[in-house]
Amino acid sequence: MSEQAGSSAPGPRHHKPKPFAPIDFEPFAGGADPARVSEAAHLAAQALVRRGRDSDDPKVTKRLVKLADEQGLEAIAEMWAESPARSLPGALWRLYALRAATIQDPERISVYFKAGKDTAQVSHAVAGAAEPPGADEMKSMADAILSGAFDGDFDVALERSAAFCRVVALGQATLADGAEHSNENHASKLTRNSHLLVKTAEDLEHAANAWRLGELD
């Protein structure tokens, strides 16, 4: 946030979160200096995961999945978006943000997913989308993946999310190839987002492996 005109003293500096790899949507506002919030971010992430995994109540899981809906994704971004990608808060941020992106525009996500699923058959199977993968199926899958972080194996939830990213990224790349001559700007944006989403998939896969080794904190 820039200083207001005429201000005699600089105000506090605010930072936007680092883009986690957008699925062709604008990054959500929020974020803060990681040096000031790192410890709180890790403690909050640990408490949230522990709360979900210690409870057998499906209502608790549902509340945790819809945390961003109720509190606003910006509130989560303020705590977690600046955390390292390959950390517990960084991984949780990506799970919540990917779900939010899917819920926000499931029709467009389904187009990307359909375009990539036949080529990325292994990732398609791991992601676990119902057939045909329409808008409702995308929303259901997004909820199921995030639910699994709290009532299933956390590493499996991360791997499913990574697989989802890979299918969507491949779909974006495929559509970019088809639009290269008719709409060069759109094709470039799809290609850029596809590359970023592959990086997100790699981060989630690394986090899943770290969780299995007891090294994700």
Side-chain angles (χ1 to χ4, degrees):
M1 184 180 297
S2 60
E3 296 177 23
Q4 295 182 352
S7 175
S8 60
R13 297 181 62 189
H14 299 279
H15 304 272
K16 291 183 178 180
K18 299 173 183 177
F20 71 95
I23 309 179
D24 196 13
F25 71 100
E26 294 299 321
F28 291 89
D33 184 350
R36 295 167 52 193
V37 301
S38 179
E39 182 179 2
H42 283 77
L43 290 174
Q46 291 165 3
L48 197 67
V49 172
R50 188 182 307 113
R51 169 63 172 152
R53 299 181 68 79
D54 287 348
S55 174
D56 294 326
D57 187 349
K59 292 181 180 179
V60 171
T61 299
K62 185 176 181 179
R63 286 199 299 270
L64 291 173
V65 168
K66 295 187 176 296
L67 181 65
D69 300 344
E70 297 171 357
Q71 302 297 325
L73 192 65
E74 294 82 359
I76 297 177
E78 193 70 32
M79 182 67 73
W80 290 342
E82 294 287 354
S83 298
R86 301 183 178 188
S87 67
L88 181 58
L92 274 175
W93 160 243
R94 282 153 180 76
L95 291 179
Y96 273 106
L98 286 165
R99 175 187 176 273
T102 303
I103 298 300
Q104 176 179 291
D105 197 348
E107 291 82 7
R108 179 165 48 174
I109 300 306
S110 70
V111 170
Y112 297 151
F113 196 91
K114 289 175 184 176
K117 72 183 184 69
D118 290 336
T119 303
Q121 293 184 5
V122 174
S123 292
H124 175 210
V126 173
E131 291 290 342
D136 289 340
E137 287 74 19
M138 291 295 99
K139 291 190 291 185
S140 295
M141 182 178 61
D143 282 346
I145 289 175
L146 187 52
S147 294
F150 303 114
D151 63 11
D153 295 321
F154 190 71
D155 56 324
V156 173
L158 294 175
E159 287 176 336
R160 287 187 67 188
S161 188
F164 167 73
C165 289
R166 289 192 179 278
V167 175
V168 172
L170 185 57
Q172 288 178 321
T174 299
L175 293 173
D177 290 341
E180 185 175 1
H181 299 295
S182 60
N183 191 334
E184 185 176 350
N185 288 337
H186 181 57
S188 296
K189 185 176 182 180
L190 284 173
T191 300
R192 181 174 63 254
N193 288 343
S194 174
H195 290 163
L196 290 170
L197 205 53
V198 169
K199 177 61 169 61
T200 294
E202 293 171 349
D203 289 334
L204 289 167
E205 290 160 354
H206 185 280
N209 186 59
W211 176 268
R212 285 191 291 269
L213 295 174
E215 297 175 354
L216 187 68
D217 55 17

